[in-house]
Amino acid sequence: MHPPSPAATAMDFSQNSLFGYMEDLQELTIIERPVRRSLKTPEEIERLTVDEDLSDIERAVYLLSAGQDIQGTSVIANLPFLMRQNPAETLRRVLPKVREALHVAGVEMQLTAAVSFLTILQDESVSVHTYAHSFLQVILLHLEHRDAGVSNAWLETLLSVIDVLPKDTLRHEILNPLVSKAQLSQTVQSRLVSCKILGKLTNKFDALAIKREILPLVKSLCQDVEYEVRSCMCRQLENIAQGIGTELTKSVVLPELIELSRDEGSSVRLAAFETLVNLLDIFDTDDRSQTILPVVKSFCEKSFKADESILISLSFHLGKLCHGLYGIFTPDQHLRFLEFYKKLCTLGLQQENGHNENQIPPQILEQEKKYISVRKNCAYNFPAMIVFVDPKNFHMELYSTFFCLCHDPEVPVRYTIAICFYEVSKLLNSGVYLIHKELITLLQDESLEVLDALIDHLPEILELMSTGGESSVQENKLSSLPDLVPALTAAEQRAAASLKWRTHEKLLQKYACLPQVISSDQIYYRFLQRMFTIMMTNNVLPVQKAASRTLCIFLRYNRKQEQRHEVIQKLIEQLGQGKSYWNRLRFLDTCEFIIEIFSKSFFCKYFFLPAIELTHDPVANVRMKLCYLLPKVKSTLKIPADKHLLQQLEMCVRKLLCQEKDKDVLAIVKRTVLELDRMEMSMDAFQKKFYEKDLLDQEKEREELLLLEMEQLEKEKQQNDGRPMSEKTFEKKRRDSKTPTSLPKSIPISVPGSSSATPSTSKEIKKSKLIRSQSFNNQAFHAKYGNLDKCTTSKSSTAAYTPSVSGLSKTSMISLTDDSFRTRNTNSAPSSFSSNTSLPSTSRGTGNSVDPKSSGSKDTQPRKATLKSRKSNP
């Protein structure tokens, strides 16, 4: 092909081209004409104008009398409001006009009236007696409207009214006229309405009245000449059976159902089958085995020869059917029903065709859609079928079927089995390892709908995978499933690349469970940096916040001090001191999560000064967001240990009041100052009003301290053994230990390397510390991540540690808080930390001190003057 010449590409102003332009303009004019015609003329506007001085009642009466249909519809839609405002006048003046308007009303006004009448009933604007006297006759009058939609709307309103009407009113106003309405001489629509009303009335009368007044009508309608009426009445037999009791159901309803199950109409047989399945609990074992089971067997055998719609219903009710008939099957019948289910699970998959979808006949496409519905229903019933075959026989009987459903070519089938995956995992219990590969398959599914369905219960599924299965005792943290981490990362990247940000947000929220199931190093190297990237680059605020919260939880349970320090420094430097104001806003969101998840001392040590430093931010939105956060920031302080931090906070707020030029920020500052003044400060000693919060905070501090002790114990064990110990090996030994979930009261809480409480090197003390760290792991890492999100802990567990902590002096408590993530003695710091770099921090009651940072090749940039950090002496 040759490129077009400039002459060909230039605009053609020949006569033919101009005519073409004129035709295009005429088409645009034609398109605009309906818009112009839809505008109201002055005369129409005059007719639609109503005097503004009229009251609501007078305006409603006027519009119903002389207004147009759209105005009358508006008045009827507003009828519930008028009833609440002035019920007496509305009933006296407006309701008669509504009755007149409904006689000649169109479909829209009729539907609006049905909804308004139902709303008035639900609002209880008038008494039941008044409602029955004023509205019931209007409802009954329009039940047989020629439009099926209008008739159904009025019928739904009537069925709701029946629930509240007294028996006498029901008998005289509804049941007695129903005798004539259910006769063969009436229209089909009238008899269909009678069927539904009879089904509703059985819950309002006693069994004797039902037997004498209602059951004759029911039998008559079950034998109606029209299959639609027989089918409708058959579906009401379930309600009738619940109203008349077991004996009458066996003697009256069951024979009718058996007869209807042999009806010539397929819809009638289907209704009879579904009603039988729903009533299985009422019948005893003899009725099930001798009467119902032969009907069900015959129905299943003929289903493949019948319409596909029957297969859809059968596949949907098969789980309930097998559960209801469980125990009366012979081994042969049990196997036959199981094979029938397996056949339905692969229905339509055997038909291979190489035709284009556009070339397939419409009837074949419709048939394939029904087959997809059948397989979807089979996926829905899969948990019930596991119970049917017994979970112990899952691998032999149902695993291949489960594999097919997870790999089904149609998204609705895989979506449904993804929803059921958690139920399947619970039922398999110790056999959950059998479906590891299917979990990976669904995580890697190309459809985000399938992934969205699976992650709803992803934390619970992963917990079952990590604690159940034959290999769970020997190997933990899902080491038997090496493909899990790549599948999780690929799922997150696929969600991030799509436009479905809600799925991405949900997935990030569920990833907060990962500290329960995979190692800290895997989280650090495969997920934590990804959370940073999302916070820095993603454009969706809820997704960024979800990533921020999950990152905080990863940091909360990270087991290496060096990695924790690196994450903290990244948060401060890349977010808190970032060039983009958007990143600084996300830093404040992260601070809020830190306050919620971590202890008060942790926040004050690392994030307090970087947060209040943003009071000098050049962007008003950042300062405004910080003002909203200041009350939570102040709540982390304890007096007198944090008196110097309180002074800095007050100084920053004072500067905002004096120097703030943005009026919106200034208004928020003034409100914040009032709130800060009303706040009561927490003290170092326990106070009654803050007792629960102080206990919770103390528990958080203890867990943060034990994380540090665990790391130190690992290093000591590696040195003693003379060989490196992998985290997997440590986790295996820790989980195999059967220590209690709380620390022994006799063991004091101390920090390795602390000058105030340096432990001896005896074997007994090291052994007791190892028991203590293992005990903490059993409590912290096996807890559900939902409990972590809520940051709740049991009082009994906390009380177990209270004596040992409360026995320490105030100085010791401050020392423990300072050393939650570092040691005072620089000689005991890890050798991997460089003494030339510093991590800004604020310690309680001891002034400002510094931790070394891991990378010693480069000197980091100095912090801002307000942070007042200094390097530690080598």
Side-chain angles (χ1 to χ4, degrees):
M1 295 180 63
H2 299 284
S5 62
T9 57
M11 187 174 290
D12 186 8
F13 287 101
S14 62
Q15 187 174 6
N16 294 334
S17 180
L18 289 175
F19 277 123
Y21 295 148
M22 292 298 294
E23 290 176 359
D24 292 340
L25 291 174
Q26 288 177 356
E27 291 179 1
L28 290 175
T29 305
I30 293 172
I31 293 173
E32 289 182 356
R33 281 175 187 170
V35 179
R36 292 175 182 172
R37 288 174 181 171
S38 66
L39 299 176
K40 302 296 183 185
T41 63
E43 292 79 9
E44 290 174 327
I45 293 175
E46 181 66 26
R47 288 199 302 270
L48 292 171
T49 304
V50 181
D51 188 1
E52 295 181 358
D53 296 332
L54 294 176
S55 65
D56 291 340
I57 299 295
E58 292 172 343
R59 186 184 298 110
V61 172
Y62 173 77
L63 292 177
L64 288 170
S65 302
Q68 297 188 2
D69 286 345
I70 189 171
Q71 292 174 315
T73 303
S74 176
V75 171
I76 293 176
N78 199 40
L79 198 59
F81 171 76
L82 295 176
M83 287 295 298
R84 288 191 295 267
Q85 189 180 47
N86 194 344
E89 285 298 305
T90 303
L91 292 175
R92 188 176 67 86
R93 300 182 59 187
V94 179
L95 191 57
K97 295 294 182 181
V98 171
R99 292 196 193 99
E100 294 177 6
L102 288 177
H103 282 298
V104 292
V107 172
E108 185 177 357
M109 186 180 290
Q110 290 276 356
L111 293 174
T112 304
V115 173
S116 294
F117 281 25
L118 179 58
T119 304
I120 293 170
L121 175 71
Q122 294 169 345
D123 290 347
E124 299 180 356
S125 303
V126 293
S127 65
V128 174
H129 176 75
T130 304
Y131 187 92
H133 180 266
S134 303
F135 295 94
L136 183 57
Q137 291 302 321
V138 181
I139 297 171
L140 293 172
L141 182 64
H142 296 92
L143 275 178
E144 298 179 26
H145 194 277
R146 59 182 177 275
D147 185 273
V150 172
S151 178
N152 289 331
W154 284 113
L155 178 60
E156 291 300 321
T157 302
L158 177 62
L159 296 179
S160 299
V161 172
I162 289 175
D163 287 332
V164 300
L165 291 179
K167 291 183 180 180
D168 292 339
T169 304
L170 289 174
R171 180 175 279 106
H172 292 95
E173 300 293 339
I174 298 178
L175 183 57
N176 291 341
L178 206 62
V179 176
S180 60
K181 297 289 184 182
Q183 299 301 318
L184 287 174
S185 57
Q186 299 293 324
T187 62
V188 173
Q189 184 176 349
S190 176
R191 303 204 298 275
L192 289 173
V193 169
S194 300
C195 293
K196 295 179 180 179
I197 294 176
L198 285 172
K200 192 71 175 180
L201 287 175
T202 51
N203 296 324
K204 301 296 294 185
F205 295 96
D206 54 32
L208 184 61
I210 294 173
K211 182 178 180 180
R212 186 178 62 251
E213 301 180 36
I214 294 179
L215 285 184
L217 293 176
V218 170
K219 290 183 178 180
S220 173
L221 292 169
C222 284
Q223 304 297 327
D224 197 278
V225 295
E226 298 292 338
Y227 74 92
E228 296 170 330
V229 179
R230 298 197 301 272
S231 175
C232 183
M233 192 66 253
C234 183
R235 294 189 181 277
Q236 299 302 319
L237 290 179
E238 180 181 354
N239 295 329
I240 293 171
Q242 294 173 355
I244 62 178
T246 305
E247 295 302 324
L248 280 177
T249 299
K250 291 181 179 180
S251 60
V252 179
V253 175
L254 184 57
E256 294 292 339
L257 283 173
I258 298 302
E259 185 175 352
L260 290 170
S261 66
R262 305 188 187 100
D263 196 277
E264 58 184 8
S266 61
S267 62
V268 181
R269 295 197 303 271
L270 182 60
F273 169 76
E274 293 178 356
T275 304
L276 277 173
V277 173
N278 292 333
L279 292 177
L280 279 175
D281 294 337
I282 295 180
F283 303 116
D284 55 26
T285 303
D286 292 338
D287 291 326
R288 295 181 193 178
S289 59
Q290 298 175 9
T291 307
I292 298 176
L293 184 57
V295 174
V296 170
K297 287 173 57 180
S298 175
F299 189 82
C300 293
E301 291 169 358
K302 297 177 182 178
S303 59
F304 282 100
K305 302 177 183 178
D307 185 22
E308 287 81 5
S309 58
I310 292 181
L311 281 177
I312 294 175
S313 176
L314 179 58
S315 61
F316 181 76
H317 290 89
L318 192 59
K320 191 173 184 179
L321 179 65
C322 291
H323 176 73
L325 296 178
Y326 187 79
I328 66 171
F329 285 124
T330 63
D332 182 61
Q333 291 171 342
H334 189 281
L335 181 62
R336 188 176 302 176
F337 268 88
L338 182 60
E339 292 300 323
F340 179 74
Y341 171 76
K342 292 180 180 179
K343 188 175 181 181
L344 291 179
C345 288
T346 58
L347 187 65
L349 296 180
Q350 300 87 352
Q351 300 176 359
E352 298 290 338
N353 61 77
H355 301 288
N356 188 4
E357 187 173 331
N358 297 327
Q359 300 174 352
I360 301 177
Q363 60 270 21
I364 300 298
L365 284 175
E366 188 65 26
Q367 186 184 54
E368 289 183 358
K369 289 181 181 178
K370 292 180 179 180
Y371 288 161
I372 293 171
S373 298
V374 170
R375 300 201 302 274
K376 177 183 175 183
N377 291 338
C378 288
Y380 167 77
N381 282 303
F382 193 83
M385 298 308 296
I386 292 180
V387 177
F388 183 66
V389 301
D390 195 307
K392 297 178 181 178
N393 301 322
F394 169 79
H395 187 263
M396 183 181 299
E397 301 289 352
L398 283 177
Y399 175 74
S400 59
T401 303
F402 186 69
F403 178 88
C404 291
L405 292 173
C406 290
H407 291 81
D408 195 277
E410 299 299 331
V411 172
V413 181
R414 303 197 306 274
Y415 173 83
T416 307
I417 200 66
I419 292 177
C420 298
F421 199 94
Y422 174 51
E423 292 296 327
V424 173
S425 302
K426 284 197 302 182
L427 289 170
L428 292 180
N429 197 6
S430 60
V432 70
Y433 68 95
L434 295 170
I435 58 173
H436 280 179
K437 294 181 180 179
E438 282 63 43
L439 173 63
I440 302 300
T441 298
L442 294 177
L443 281 172
Q444 296 174 337
D445 197 280
E446 59 184 10
S447 172
L448 279 180
E449 294 179 10
V450 177
L451 178 62
D452 188 84
L454 182 67
I455 62 179
D456 282 335
H457 292 285
L458 185 63
E460 295 85 352
I461 293 171
L462 292 180
E463 183 184 5
L464 288 169
M465 293 284 184
S466 63
T467 58
E470 290 181 349
S471 60
S472 63
V473 177
Q474 292 79 16
E475 301 179 29
N476 44 67
K477 291 267 182 182
L478 289 182
S479 56
S480 62
L481 191 58
D483 296 334
L484 176 64
V485 173
L488 290 172
T489 55
E492 187 278 322
Q493 291 172 0
R494 196 165 63 255
S498 70
L499 297 178
K500 297 182 178 181
W501 64 264
R502 287 182 177 85
T503 299
H504 192 199
E505 177 195 15
K506 189 199 301 186
L507 186 62
L508 294 175
Q509 291 171 347
K510 301 300 182 181
Y511 277 5
C513 74
L514 291 182
Q516 297 179 67
V517 293
I518 62 177
S519 67
S520 176
D521 280 341
Q522 285 179 310
I523 291 174
Y524 179 77
Y525 291 111
R526 301 300 298 270
F527 294 96
L528 208 144
Q529 183 56 43
R530 178 59 181 165
M531 297 301 114
F532 262 115
T533 304
I534 294 171
M535 292 170 64
M536 300 283 289
T537 61
N538 198 281
N539 296 324
V540 182
L541 180 58
V543 172
Q544 287 183 314
K545 287 189 175 183
S548 175
R549 182 179 178 82
T550 300
L551 183 143
C552 291
I553 294 174
F554 289 167
L555 177 62
R556 174 70 174 81
Y557 285 108
N558 187 282
R559 292 179 49 205
K560 293 189 177 179
Q561 184 182 18
E562 180 182 350
Q563 294 176 357
R564 288 196 298 270
H565 283 177
E566 183 180 348
V567 173
I568 292 168
Q569 185 147 347
K570 274 188 176 183
L571 285 171
I572 295 172
E573 292 179 354
Q574 298 184 20
L575 292 180
Q577 299 170 3
K579 295 181 179 180
S580 170
Y581 87 99
W582 191 255
N583 289 341
R584 300 196 295 275
L585 288 174
R586 300 293 71 78
F587 176 74
L588 293 176
D589 288 332
T590 305
C591 286
E592 191 170 359
F593 295 138
I594 291 288
I595 293 172
E596 177 188 351
I597 296 170
F598 289 81
S599 66
K600 295 178 180 180
S601 61
F602 181 90
F603 177 81
C604 290
K605 181 177 179 181
Y606 294 110
F607 292 94
F608 186 91
L609 291 180
I612 64 173
E613 177 68 19
L614 293 178
T615 54
H616 307 291
D617 197 277
V619 179
N621 284 0
V622 179
R623 302 195 301 274
M624 186 182 300
K625 188 174 184 65
L626 177 61
C627 289
Y628 285 121
L629 187 62
L630 284 179
K632 291 186 177 181
V633 171
K634 186 179 179 181
S635 69
T636 63
L637 301 178
K638 289 184 179 181
I639 300 301
D642 297 323
K643 187 176 181 180
H644 62 292
L645 296 180
L646 179 61
Q647 291 172 352
Q648 295 195 46
L649 175 63
E650 292 173 349
M651 182 177 63
C652 291
V653 174
R654 197 175 298 115
K655 285 183 179 180
L656 277 176
L657 277 173
C658 299
Q659 301 176 5
E660 184 58 56
K661 297 179 181 179
D662 189 283
K663 61 179 183 180
D664 295 327
V665 178
L666 185 59
I668 295 172
V669 171
K670 291 178 179 178
R671 291 202 301 267
T672 304
V673 168
L674 295 176
E675 186 176 352
L676 291 174
D677 289 341
R678 289 194 297 266
M679 287 181 62
E680 295 187 27
M681 294 295 297
S682 178
M683 309 296 289
D684 283 341
F686 277 23
Q687 296 173 283
K688 287 186 177 180
K689 60 179 68 178
F690 301 120
Y691 185 75
E692 292 186 2
K693 293 182 180 179
D694 289 343
L695 280 179
L696 177 60
D697 185 66
Q698 185 190 67
E699 184 74 8
K700 292 178 183 177
E701 285 189 31
R702 183 188 60 81
E703 292 177 358
E704 292 161 5
L705 172 64
L706 288 178
L707 279 173
L708 181 64
E709 289 191 358
M710 284 164 50
E711 182 181 6
Q712 186 68 20
L713 286 170
E714 288 185 55
K715 292 179 180 178
E716 292 178 4
K717 191 168 183 62
Q718 290 178 19
Q719 293 174 0
N720 295 336
D721 295 346
R723 64 180 185 276
M725 182 175 65
S726 65
E727 183 173 353
K728 183 187 298 183
T729 306
F730 181 83
E731 286 292 325
K732 180 172 21 177
K733 293 183 179 180
R734 175 185 59 76
R735 287 182 184 248
D736 288 343
S737 65
K738 297 182 179 180
T739 55
T741 58
S742 60
L743 292 178
K745 295 182 180 181
S746 59
I747 301 178
I749 297 180
S750 60
V751 183
S754 175
S755 59
S756 61
T758 304
S760 65
T761 57
S762 64
K763 295 182 180 180
E764 289 78 6
I765 295 181
K766 287 184 178 181
K767 183 178 180 181
S768 66
K769 289 170 65 177
L770 180 60
I771 294 174
R772 187 170 20 168
S773 65
Q774 291 172 342
S775 170
F776 165 69
N777 274 273
N778 288 336
Q779 181 179 5
F781 285 87
H782 285 284
K784 283 205 172 212
Y785 94 105
N787 296 336
L788 168 66
D789 288 345
K790 298 177 182 177
C791 292
T792 58
T793 183
S794 63
K795 295 182 181 178
S796 60
S797 176
T798 306
Y801 301 98
T802 303
S804 61
V805 176
S806 61
L808 297 175
S809 64
K810 185 182 297 184
T811 305
S812 299
M813 284 295 294
I814 295 172
S815 173
L816 291 179
T817 305
D818 287 340
D819 293 332
S820 295
F821 285 86
R822 62 179 178 79
T823 57
R824 289 179 182 271
N825 192 349
T826 56
N827 294 330
S828 63
S831 59
S832 59
F833 284 79
S834 171
S835 62
N836 297 326
T837 58
S838 62
L839 177 66
S841 65
T842 305
S843 55
R844 281 194 168 153
T846 58
N848 297 326
S849 59
V850 167
D851 286 331
K853 191 169 181 272
S854 58
S855 73
S857 59
K858 293 183 181 180
D859 290 339
T860 56
Q861 295 294 330
R863 301 266 314 141
K864 296 187 178 180
T866 54
L867 296 180
K868 299 180 180 179
S869 63
R870 53 190 174 87
K871 297 178 182 177
S872 60
N873 296 324

